Amino acid sequence: MSVPAFLRRIFRGGGAEGGVRELVQLCDALLAESGEYASTALAREALAKWQGLDEPSREEFFDLLVRSYSPAVEPLKAAAAAYQAEPSNETLVRLQQAIETPRRELFYRLNMAPGGTAALVEMRRVLLAKLKAKPEWRAIDYDLRRPLRAWFNRGFLRLERIDWRTSALVLEKLIEYEAVHAVQGWGDLRRRLASDRRCYAFFHPQLPDEPIIFIEVALARGMSTHVQPLLDVQAPVGDPADADCAMFYSITNCQDGLRGISFGNQLIKQVAEDLKREFPHLRRFATLSPIPGFRAWLAKSAGRELLSCIEDPAWHAGEVPESLSHQLMAYCAYYLLRAKQGDEPLDPVARFHLGNGAALEQLNWLGDTSESGMARSAGVMANYVYRLGELERNHERYFREHAVAASSAVERLARECPLQGQAAA
Amino acid sequence: MSVPAFLRRIFRGGGAEGGVRELVQLCDALLAESGEYASTALAREALAKWQGLDEPSREEFFDLLVRSYSPAVEPLKAAAAAYQAEPSNETLVRLQQAIETPRRELFYRLNMAPGGTAALVEMRRVLLAKLKAKPEWRAIDYDLRRPLRAWFNRGFLRLERIDWRTSALVLEKLIEYEAVHAVQGWGDLRRRLASDRRCYAFFHPQLPDEPIIFIEVALARGMSTHVQPLLDVQAPVGDPADADCAMFYSITNCQDGLRGISFGNQLIKQVAEDLKREFPHLRRFATLSPIPGFRAWLAKSAGRELLSCIEDPAWHAGEVPESLSHQLMAYCAYYLLRAKQGDEPLDPVARFHLGNGAALEQLNWLGDTSESGMARSAGVMANYVYRLGELERNHERYFREHAVAASSAVERLARECPLQGQAAA
Amino acid sequence: MSVPAFLRRIFRGGGAEGGVRELVQLCDALLAESGEYASTALAREALAKWQGLDEPSREEFFDLLVRSYSPAVEPLKAAAAAYQAEPSNETLVRLQQAIETPRRELFYRLNMAPGGTAALVEMRRVLLAKLKAKPEWRAIDYDLRRPLRAWFNRGFLRLERIDWRTSALVLEKLIEYEAVHAVQGWGDLRRRLASDRRCYAFFHPQLPDEPIIFIEVALARGMSTHVQPLLDVQAPVGDPADADCAMFYSITNCQDGLRGISFGNQLIKQVAEDLKREFPHLRRFATLSPIPGFRAWLAKSAGRELLSCIEDPAWHAGEVPESLSHQLMAYCAYYLLRAKQGDEPLDPVARFHLGNGAALEQLNWLGDTSESGMARSAGVMANYVYRLGELERNHERYFREHAVAASSAVERLARECPLQGQAAA
Amino acid sequence: MSVPAFLRRIFRGGGAEGGVRELVQLCDALLAESGEYASTALAREALAKWQGLDEPSREEFFDLLVRSYSPAVEPLKAAAAAYQAEPSNETLVRLQQAIETPRRELFYRLNMAPGGTAALVEMRRVLLAKLKAKPEWRAIDYDLRRPLRAWFNRGFLRLERIDWRTSALVLEKLIEYEAVHAVQGWGDLRRRLASDRRCYAFFHPQLPDEPIIFIEVALARGMSTHVQPLLDVQAPVGDPADADCAMFYSITNCQDGLRGISFGNQLIKQVAEDLKREFPHLRRFATLSPIPGFRAWLAKSAGRELLSCIEDPAWHAGEVPESLSHQLMAYCAYYLLRAKQGDEPLDPVARFHLGNGAALEQLNWLGDTSESGMARSAGVMANYVYRLGELERNHERYFREHAVAASSAVERLARECPLQGQAAA
């Protein structure tokens, strides 16, 4: 398509000192459009312009979004005053209208372009990456996150099974995104999609080739306790008819630009139900999970003696004294059950699964001996069990009473941690 | 699916004096859910409950939505005061958060249910039908319309051609919805989908069997001036290769619940472009349109003498004196060009096409002799021409200068209207 | 596409005394093509030419197919002689090659054209319609039926459910083809596709909009005995969850050109299995079937007295003496159980269901009081029951011992027929 | 599915001395079935049994197919005699019926099983692999090839573009099957599917994940003369808008079991037309082809002196004297233009492209320096040009006059070959 006349006219005046100026002109034109008439073309142009900006220009654009696309101050103050004077339906709606920001309207209109949704997810990714350094950008995030949340409403997502019939374009994304246990090329991926495995992802109609979140499952006989056998490309493919456990061993959020718009709990529950339907003989749905915050917490909490034992990166290579392993396991149980951030567990993976209503079932010594497994979790892995009949009760107790559902074995372990006495003291 | 335990528990307490109470309990439970965990099930139950309510109960529910699901007054007053005191990014975001209504959150969550989007469109239809009598419900509409607008963002709609290969379920909806020229059963519809016709509709992924808006096009040799031949089921099917005009003779918004969220201008433009690609020899894209407000305006504006001539419903049946027809056409031209509602034309169809950038080309005497055509438009029909190269300019002039693009023939006619002198006087 | 040079050349010589000559030139060119190079274009042209021929020309073409496209006589005689002299693998293959007819090769090549399969099915329909008058065309049918049988191999057909979501193009075909109980327009069809009904059809990938055969099923409480209630458009829609019987009340072969290539038994069995899976509470799969040959047989077999009672077309309108109804039922049972054509029942519907392994369960007095029902079956209808566990045994006994599986009630009825004594005498 | 009763009964008698016996029992039961009733189940069982046989058992089964599934000798002799006595339509059809082999009927019925078509393609692959050693199996091949040809009729195949959106299951097959220039893993494949490349394949509805034949195309600026740059994974991706040549650099038949049922010429022509539509600026459609028989022919045809120069596998590694390269090119041109097998070129790739109507345009020195390229073609590659307007004439001249279309440059080269004089002498 050739550039329409209205686009050429938009740029006519400009001294053209750069892309941001042109982008802003396009955004203004887009907002000025009544009847949405030329909007699609303007939105497409604006997004193309945005995508062509370098990093400093993008920052400049964000700054402008804060400065120039906030609601008009005086009318908003007036509406605020009116509501204060008499809080009613009328003054409420008037205040709502006065607080609508041009920013948010802009995002709605940008979404009309083909590929608009994907571009706005990407824009938010860029925004979030610098939000700490630019706290004033929170105002943008507020206006971008709301529409994204509407567009990515759970009702619009569809669960799809990923297997070897899936397009290479999507499979390649899995290799790229997998955040828990990195995929070592196509052979590794193929093994993870063999007949004793399952992989599911949520997709959105506007991002047809982009998984939003995906989960990897192993169908196993007995609960898996160590992850390296699961990741072994050479491992023989089991018969799913023999399996009695579905082991969720990896779950990855793919879109940084959707941070805070969560789908994970929906995914696990729906996958568990689908699997139960396909394999009625499955008795247990459980995770084999990392404990990502354990090692960092340990460094702050444990005594120097213990820490010195695990200082050497190769400390677990030879024979490990039982006293050491026992002590580490006890610390780990204590960490998961007692270490808090507010009312909730300090460990993010624990928060996620316990919040879903799962129960902490078991800790596994040297469950993950990979470099990152040792560095983050001192090699320990956890099994969280999803008992479909108890999820709801656990979930409620977790949120109401901050109760952590855990097996008695893990409870016992935690009581054997040296810190336990101190806390009681 | 059996009723989950948490649903049974929700209703345990209630003295069950009716569906509204249970619906409110479900809504509260849905809003209380953190982690969206049981939300889908709750949303489904709530919508089913809503769908089962009778009319008075629905009104009661809407009243409750106004009363009990508005933002908390005191925090909002405080946030309003803070913004007034110092309008900044921080106070703005705080005010935005304080003004978020539980209502809108509720609508977001209800949309998670399967079929949620369709149910909310229907809910708004019910709401709008009584909005005049219940002005306080505008607060609900404000919170329902915003998410609907996000979900029905143009980027999510797909244009689909409707033909005889389309499912009967969708075709039946066309018969039901067609608002301009009613469809007389399947035979009529089949003719409207023959090879010298085209029909297109916008669909949304969440309403797969529901057209949002559809348009009917006849491929004709020369501009069509009378609608009855187009609607004649027995009319021979022409060869589209001979056609030089695409006549848009009907456009229908199907979803009352989406009123005010417009798609029509996008549709016409996109269809015109698609047709141009398929039939490069098409030279003209024009409508054959009713003038729905003409007769009512005439009753208020014309002299008694003229009105008495067209009092008898059969006035046009025999020979009509040329002086009468000329006078009516002149009044009609005047109506379309000079009769205003604010700055825009009084006639809604004129507003729509002129706003799209089309030009009023021609008026057609006895263009629609159906009962409704006579009753609304005194039988006159209009051709609005979409000249792809001029749409943009007309559109801009229409919105900036309220200029109505019209042919010199129609301008001349308007000048011959008796009212013209009076206005000048 | 413009006509390729080779097509123009083909026609260059011809004195063009008509379409048949040109068609034969195209067929010769198609057969002469090595490497299938221009074959698709030639095949398309040839089929278009065939479709344009009038009836006498088509007959002339068929005559030519017999005369000029048979195997060469002398080589075939030689190969026949060689096989006679020494029947071996070599002489067999040689004879097979010599007997390959240019006709069959021609049909293979015509099938390369887009729409070729449909065109050849249609060609066979035309052929079969006159086969009695033109017995020499059997040679053509032999060569056309074989490839059609290969192309319509059961493995290539897919069973599809037909419902209100199906395209109008296909639904219209159902209205057109339904051969057992004619469909009275779209309203009737809609009722037959309501939620207490099922309709399934076989489709072939090359005829995407053409059902090959379809079956209509009513989900009923108790076995249906009268067809008029099933055909009543106003009948309330039942809840399939209440049904315990699946009543097959209509099965129609759609393609006359595929006569003798049967699919019906596959269809019923597969549909029964699909229904059993969807509705595990269904206890009985049965038909409500016409007895199309009964009345004609009765006219030849019954005494004058009985026949005179049913001479008046309105004989059943008032009260029918029980003696008459009993006598007719007894004749009907006798007809189904004893009247033969070779070893099999004279009645074609009985042959079909009994051959499938169903059992004749019950006869229903005035089961079909439509004009055609009275004219063909004297109003009687039959229930054949498909007991999934017995089909196989019945089927085998039917084909080995010509045993007709029937309930004792029907057996008893047959013994009460006056003819029974005569036969025994 | 549990084993049906009739299957258990089939095996009841058998002394069960092995799979072949059971397979033959299943085949007999399948042939004995009237009404195709239990056929699908029997066909599935029989194919499963066949797939489980080891190699000697499969040979035994083929031997049995020859011995026991040929037509009955006496009726065939009688029919042969009748035809000899009086060749007529009736005696022809009778002979046709008598010669129908149980074998072919068996193959038709086996095709009813799910996956039947794929299994029979595989069965023919096994058969063909030993046909030389077992000439009597030709009778089987005759009866298997005919139905396969019907099932794989060109009209049933659909052309699909293969790209990075294609399923990994299919892409993996490309890596496995590619016969001309082996694919070096997923990275190599990805490059071959980049935006300056195209890949197309034919698929059959019964083998949805199996390409039948595929072709690889490079969109290039100027005609490609050397294959290594095309195969270079690191080569920068070009802009297809700049390309003026479509280079067919690899075409692979995937199914050995379909040998002799050719699709290649259709594929190239259709792909060329599709590309022309997508990229109207393409001016040339040409191949970059191996000359697979050159080296072997050279070894028999050239003098000892020349052969000794290229004896060392690394002869081309350093500088090659121009006299040598010129001599080799002249031999190669002579080989392609003059060396014959019957009336056609000895080189199979030349036969294929010339038969399609392409012209030999150019020979490229060291066009393929891979090990196999040197071993088969002494490094020379050929460009065959597909001029869409000349294909038909070339094709006809090739088949009628055995004329080889070649550029004057290649003709000249051939005349400089030492053999040229000898032939003339």
Side-chain angles (χ1 to χ4, degrees), chain A residues 35-79:
Chain A
E36 314 179 15
Y37 182 67
S39 304
T40 304
L42 282 167
R44 186 176 42 209
E45 290 295 317
L47 287 175
K49 191 68 72 185
W50 151 262
Q51 281 155 346
L53 292 186
D54 60 11
E55 206 177 305
S57 300
R58 289 178 167 197
E59 295 194 12
E60 195 188 332
F61 176 65
F62 285 144
D63 289 340
L64 274 165
L65 277 185
V66 175
R67 261 204 318 278
S68 313
Y69 293 80
S70 289
V73 172
E74 288 315 315
L76 181 50
K77 282 171 79 170

Side-chain angles (χ1 to χ4, degrees), chain C residues 8-71:
Chain C
R8 286 196 307 273
R9 209 155 45 246
I10 285 168
F11 299 139
R12 205 164 38 193
E17 63 267 48
V20 175
R21 188 194 169 107
E22 286 179 11
L23 174 54
V24 166
Q25 286 169 327
L26 283 163
C27 290
D28 290 344
L30 185 56
L31 284 172
E33 264 304 313
S34 67
E36 315 179 16
Y37 181 67
S39 303
T40 304
L42 282 168
R44 186 174 44 211
E45 290 294 317
L47 287 175
K49 192 66 77 184
W50 151 261
Q51 281 156 346
L53 291 186
D54 58 12
E55 206 177 305
S57 300
R58 289 178 167 197
E59 294 193 14
E60 195 188 330
F61 176 65
F62 285 145
D63 288 339
L64 275 165
L65 277 184
V66 175
R67 260 203 320 277
S68 312
Y69 292 80
S70 289

Side-chain angles (χ1 to χ4, degrees), chain D residues 24-237:
Chain D
V24 167
Q25 285 170 326
L26 283 164
C27 291
D28 290 345
L30 184 56
L31 284 173
E33 265 303 314
S34 67
E36 315 179 15
Y37 182 67
S39 303
T40 305
L42 281 168
R44 187 175 43 212
E45 290 295 317
L47 287 175
K49 190 68 74 184
W50 151 262
Q51 281 156 346
L53 292 187
D54 59 11
E55 205 177 307
S57 300
R58 289 177 168 197
E59 295 193 12
E60 194 188 331
F61 176 66
F62 284 144
D63 288 340
L64 274 165
L65 277 184
V66 175
R67 262 206 316 278
S68 312
Y69 292 80
S70 289
V73 172
E74 287 315 316
L76 181 50
K77 282 171 79 171
Y83 182 82
Q84 274 183 290
E86 190 202 342
S88 70
N89 267 317
E90 289 72 38
T91 54
L92 174 63
V93 170
R94 189 179 148 203
L95 184 54
Q96 284 179 315
Q97 286 167 334
I99 208 169
E100 291 286 340
T101 66
R103 262 192 305 271
R104 192 182 297 188
E105 182 63 29
L106 179 65
F107 296 139
Y108 275 117
R109 296 187 172 206
L110 287 172
N111 193 40
M112 287 178 192
T117 310
L120 289 168
V121 170
E122 167 65 10
M123 190 183 285
R124 184 159 179 259
R125 190 191 63 74
V126 173
L127 184 84
L128 292 182
K130 298 212 176 154
L131 205 52
K132 275 205 177 146
K134 294 279 203 173
E136 66 276 23
W137 290 359
R138 282 187 200 286
I140 305 174
D141 185 41
Y142 193 87
D143 288 325
L144 185 46
R145 182 180 173 173
R146 295 263 112 188
L148 282 175
R149 197 192 147 201
W151 298 327
F152 284 87
N153 190 289
R154 173 64 192 89
F156 291 176
L157 301 181
R158 40 172 221 284
L159 183 70
E160 286 190 12
R161 183 167 163 204
I162 304 281
D163 59 18
W164 201 236
R165 264 201 177 78
T166 303
S167 91
L169 190 54
V170 168
L171 294 182
E172 189 180 49
K173 300 275 171 66
L174 262 56
I175 297 179
E176 179 190 343
Y177 291 145
E178 158 69 80
V180 185
H181 304 292
V183 181
Q184 313 294 335
W186 288 89
D188 183 358
L189 184 65
R190 198 188 199 297
R191 180 64 191 86
R192 296 192 193 198
L193 301 175
S195 61
D196 60 349
R197 302 290 174 91
R198 286 294 182 276
C199 179
Y200 296 87
F202 273 140
F203 284 87
H204 187 273
Q206 288 300 300
L207 285 80
D209 300 319
E210 277 287 345
I212 307 298
I213 183 172
F214 68 93
I215 190 166
E216 295 167 73
V217 190
L219 302 172
R221 184 136 198 95
M223 200 162 70
S224 305
T225 53
H226 292 71
V227 80
Q228 268 72 40
L230 288 183
L231 302 177
D232 179 4
V233 178
Q234 305 301 332
V237 175

